[in-house]
Amino acid sequence: MKKFAIVSGKGGVGKTSISAAIAYELSLKKRKIIVVDTDVDAPNLSLLLKGKLLIRDPIVTSKKPKIDPELCTQCGKCVTICKSEALSLKSEWKAPRLKSYLCEGCGICKIICPTNAIKLVDKENGFITVYDTIYGFKLISGELEIGGSASGKIVRETKEKAYIFTNNLTDYVLIDGPPGSGCPAISTISDVDVAIFVTEPTPTALHDLKRIVDVKKAFNIPGGVIINKYNLHEKTFLNLKKYINSENLITLGKIPYSDIIPNSIVVGEPLNKIHPDHPISKEISKIVNIIEKL
Amino acid sequence: MSNTGDKQLPYTIAVTGGKGGTGKTLVAISLATYFSIFGKNVLLMDCDVDSPNISLLLNVKLSNKQEVKVFFPSFNPDKCSYCGKCSEVCPEKAILSVKNKLPIVFPKICTGCEACKIVCPEDAINDDYKTVGWTYEAKIGRINIVSGELKINEVNSTEVVKAVRRRSFNKIKNSKIDVVIIDTAPGAHCDVVRALNGANIAIAVTEPTFFGLHDLELILKLLNMMNLNSFVIINRYDMVHNFDYIDNIVKNYSSSIIGRIPYDTKILQKYVEKELFNLSPDISEGFKALQEISLKLLNQIEQKIEPRS
């Protein structure tokens, strides 16, 4: 079994559309796959890979303070010490109030409280959903509660949940990752065998690609690049190629700008299912052949 | 924005949107550019510290690099009694307590919250620091830029966002700034919350696809939770025909659409050529739409600012 993570640095370059197309192509080739969405801030893969919802479980990866108004003396120590400015107190309130979206769950308020009025309680801060897709494979999708923290932990939990569904017949786990190069992106590529970078020839995408490739270096795994919208700008495309060569990355394929990609999102199906004979679908097929040999 | 002492804060617009690649940074830069053309002194904050792209697109060199340091515990061997309380309270489980030995800290996991230091009964934990990123400044015309950058393989991006904000507050105190524009990361997580917190208004930039729609709903939910007023911009609105779902979502969350930007190869060209500064709105329909949005917002700001004595 091999694990692939699809990441990009910059958002909106086509990670999810390409992930769905790769998953669909692998299913056509009768490969046993598990597909995972770790873009926990904006999990969109299930919009393209439709199926039946099997399980939707809340997950707890953080704690939040709960203040007992009976024990609270309104001393305000917790409010002053909170570095996240998540607690506030007004004289007419019986106890400080929490802005949950600002709280980072450090628990210092509990430590400092002189009357033990603060307890830390488990906070559901996300969901893991398992779908049985119409293509015969399972899709496991992680989702962070809105405004939540600890997205890296949710990514980890989502992957662990996905691995439960693997067995010795599983060929691949395909992970559609988040944008950026921070906590959830690092968690996404931390235990995979190959990193697949989706990018486009714009200066911002190149800049952000460099950052995520640098993240990958800590993990000592091979990396391949898919250049989406490659005909957007020739000079930047050449710069991008130069960078890819200088980093010993493999060019897996290049996809021209085409409105079949946004239109496939509107239809809600992988682009290569809607347009099986389109040159882009052929390119996806070629990319999958290379990926399978990595 | 929250407190900077006595000084009244300038009107603050946060540009966000949920989905990545919808045009957040393009909108933030365009607002800054057109506001500056109208004579405003702008502070443009790049709070997308994972992928900070503002200076790149404005083709301006960042300078005055400052380290973003966060607390990291250092144990005093003369004072530590090996009681293990630090390990117990650590929310990240970054401290391993070892019998009759100094605790071990895993630097990759520690977020620098200081819970260990506060709980330690022997006062045995001293302040050490680790660098999680950097902040920078730049200036182009009337646009002042404060930008953050997360160190590679560091996870503590929230601290870098906070540092960008602190540095921006200092800038506001010491120079004349009329409007603040904040460019946030994609998503709806804690970094975005930090960047949005205290803004006067949030602009959510989206695109007419189900991805854009899905993620727009998440961000509008977050903005409602935070009690922030918002406007929505639909970028590349003509990319997909008859996509009217966005209008309904916007209504449901009591927001409103402030503008629609067409798919415009001129925007793309200027973006790729890094020539977004001081663009005349006459060069294309897309830039015209961006200028119209800027004018509408400027009216909002003037109305808000005028009554102040």
Side-chain angles (χ1 to χ4, degrees):
Chain A
M1 183 180 85
K2 266 198 167 163
K3 291 179 269 189
F4 300 107
I6 300 184
V7 288
S8 65
K10 187 171 176 344
V13 295
K15 272 186 304 303
T16 301
S17 293
I18 290 171
S19 295
I22 290 175
Y24 179 71
E25 173 70 18
L26 285 167
S27 77
L28 285 182
K29 295 177 90 173
K30 306 276 181 244
R31 303 293 187 256
K32 297 271 176 283
I33 60 170
I34 299 285
V35 180
V36 192
D37 189 348
T38 62
D39 185 1
V40 296
D41 265 34
N44 285 338
L45 192 55
S46 66
L47 301 174
L48 284 186
L49 297 174
K50 291 192 170 134
K52 200 174 83 191
L53 193 154
L54 287 184
I55 311 166
R56 183 171 161 85
D57 284 337
I59 33 173
V60 173
T61 60
S62 79
K63 289 183 187 293
K64 299 269 152 120
K66 198 176 171 199
I67 307 176
D68 183 344
E70 299 301 318
L71 293 173
C72 176
T73 58
Q74 290 142 295
C75 72
K77 282 193 175 145
C78 55
V79 177
T80 318
I81 202 152
C82 176
K83 284 195 283 187
S84 309
E85 295 168 38
L87 288 163
S88 51
L89 181 62
K90 284 184 184 166
S91 52
E92 64 267 29
W93 295 349
K94 279 184 139 178
R97 289 184 188 171
L98 178 75
K99 279 184 181 157
S100 184
Y101 55 82
L102 291 177
C103 174
E104 288 168 22
C106 69
I108 289 177
C109 49
K110 176 186 185 271
I111 301 168
I112 205 86
C113 178
T115 59
N116 285 324
I118 302 181
K119 265 198 269 186
L120 293 183
V121 293
D122 282 349
K123 174 84 171 66
E124 281 178 10
N125 60 339
F127 289 93
I128 297 177
T129 312
V130 181
Y131 301 91
D132 217 350
T133 66
I134 54 175
Y135 309 104
F137 54 80
K138 288 200 170 52
L139 166 64
I140 293 90
S141 180
E143 191 182 321
L144 178 70
E145 169 209 45
I146 291 161
S149 49
S151 48
K153 286 183 199 162
I154 298 207
V155 168
R156 215 150 42 230
E157 299 244 343
T158 306
K159 286 165 76 180
E160 265 155 33
K161 181 94 180 181
Y163 298 156
I164 294 173
F165 292 98
T166 61
N167 56 37
N168 48 17
L169 294 175
T170 310
D171 295 305
Y172 308 111
V173 177
L174 183 71
I175 307 169
D176 180 21
S181 50
C183 188
I186 297 169
S187 288
T188 296
I189 61 175
S190 69
D191 68 338
V192 300
D193 302 293
V194 179
I196 298 169
F197 303 101
V198 179
T199 192
E200 63 182 25
T202 61
T204 47
L206 177 56
H207 170 262
D208 301 347
L209 174 70
K210 287 178 183 172
R211 289 182 56 86
I212 189 73
V213 169
D214 283 346
V215 167
K216 188 219 70 161
K217 284 177 188 162
F219 299 103
N220 201 19
I221 48 170
V225 184
I226 297 171
I227 307 172
N228 194 13
K229 309 176 208 172
Y230 78 88
N231 50 350
L232 219 52
H233 193 256
E234 201 189 337
K235 203 176 123 210
T236 316
F237 175 74
L238 294 175
N239 285 339
L240 181 59
K241 287 289 284 183
K242 211 156 70 186
Y243 170 73
I244 291 169
N245 292 336
S246 73
E247 292 288 342
N248 286 323
L249 296 163
I250 308 150
T251 302
L252 300 169
K254 50 191 199 357
I255 297 170
Y257 179 82
S258 162
D259 60 3
I260 74 159
I261 295 185
N263 283 324
S264 78
I265 304 175
V266 174
V267 179
E269 285 186 337
L271 61 98
N272 41 351
K273 185 187 174 195
I274 312 168
H275 307 279
D277 299 318
H278 195 281
I280 293 182
S281 302
K282 301 246 159 77
E283 185 71 8
I284 294 287
S285 169
K286 198 191 96 194
I287 289 168
V288 166
N289 285 339
I290 305 176
I291 290 173
E292 287 206 272
K293 286 182 200 129
L294 288 176
Chain B
M1 295 174 91
S2 57
N3 256 328
T4 52
D6 298 330
K7 189 171 169 180
Q8 171 93 40
L9 279 160
Y11 196 86
T12 301
I13 301 169
V15 183
T16 188
K19 186 178 174 329
T22 56
K24 285 182 292 300
T25 307
L26 170 77
V27 167
I29 287 176
S30 303
L31 292 180
T33 290
Y34 290 119
F35 288 171
S36 72
I37 291 173
F38 300 136
K40 301 289 176 197
N41 295 299
V42 181
L43 177 69
L44 184 53
M45 286 163 59
D46 197 341
C47 286
D48 185 1
V49 301
D50 266 31
S51 313
N53 285 329
I54 283 179
S55 62
L56 182 69
L57 288 172
L58 282 173
N59 212 356
V60 49
K61 211 173 152 52
L62 292 170
S63 58
N64 210 339
K65 181 174 183 170
Q66 286 178 7
E67 286 190 333
V68 180
K69 292 175 176 177
V70 298
F71 167 84
F72 186 73
S74 148
F75 300 92
N76 183 337
D78 300 330
K79 288 184 176 175
C80 178
S81 64
Y82 321 122
C83 71
K85 287 207 170 100
C86 51
S87 166
E88 260 169 55
V89 298
C90 177
E92 305 301 326
K93 309 214 175 357
I95 304 178
L96 185 67
S97 146
V98 191
K99 208 177 169 189
N100 295 328
K101 276 191 178 152
L102 283 183
I104 299 164
V105 196
F106 301 104
K108 283 256 176 272
I109 313 175
C110 171
T111 62
C113 75
E114 296 184 46
C116 52
K117 186 186 167 188
I118 289 161
V119 83
C120 178
E122 318 294 346
D123 198 18
I125 299 182
N126 297 330
D127 291 11
D128 202 347
Y129 293 95
K130 69 166 179 173
T131 302
V132 295
W134 303 273
T135 61
Y136 306 84
E137 281 186 39
K139 194 167 194 305
I140 174 166
R142 291 175 192 272
I143 306 175
N144 299 274
I145 299 165
V146 177
S147 181
E149 180 192 358
L150 178 69
K151 191 174 166 184
I152 292 295
N153 271 315
E154 268 297 336
V155 296
N156 211 337
S157 45
T158 312
E159 290 303 323
V160 185
V161 175
K162 287 184 194 165
V164 171
R165 291 177 62 102
R166 281 195 299 272
R167 192 159 180 179
S168 302
F169 289 144
N170 279 331
K171 188 98 200 152
I172 291 164
K173 267 191 229 166
N174 301 321
S175 44
K176 190 183 173 318
I177 302 288
D178 304 308
V179 190
V180 178
I181 297 166
I182 303 175
D183 189 19
T184 79
H189 59 290
C190 50
D191 287 10
V192 179
V193 170
R194 283 287 152 206
L196 291 169
N197 194 29
N200 296 87
I201 198 147
I203 311 278
V205 185
T206 190
E207 61 175 37
T209 66
F210 285 110
F211 290 177
L213 180 74
H214 174 266
D215 302 348
L216 175 68
E217 181 162 16
L218 292 178
I219 199 80
L220 290 177
K221 262 187 203 164
L222 176 68
L223 296 174
N224 275 8
M225 196 195 283
M226 294 180 73
N227 268 326
L228 274 174
N229 289 323
S230 65
F231 286 120
V232 171
I233 292 175
I234 308 176
N235 192 12
R236 303 183 284 256
Y237 77 91
D238 47 357
M239 179 171 75
V240 175
H241 297 293
N242 301 322
F243 197 87
D244 51 10
Y245 305 94
I246 290 175
D247 302 65
N248 294 329
I249 289 276
V250 168
K251 247 179 253 152
N252 287 347
Y253 288 90
S254 356
S255 184
S256 59
I257 296 172
I258 193 168
R260 294 167 208 264
I261 307 165
Y263 178 79
D264 182 351
T265 49
K266 203 80 192 170
I267 289 186
L268 188 66
Q269 183 207 331
K270 292 292 176 187
Y271 181 98
V272 179
E273 309 274 350
K274 300 181 277 192
E275 288 172 354
L276 289 172
F277 182 63
N278 265 359
L279 279 178
S280 157
D282 302 329
I283 63 171
S284 73
E285 289 302 307
F287 284 105
K288 202 187 273 173
L290 282 163
Q291 193 212 30
E292 273 169 23
I293 293 167
S294 307
L295 271 171
K296 280 190 200 167
L297 277 167
L298 205 60
N299 279 334
Q300 285 271 326
I301 298 169
E302 308 268 282
Q303 281 167 16
K304 292 272 160 41
I305 290 175
E306 287 314 321
R308 203 174 85 202
S309 55

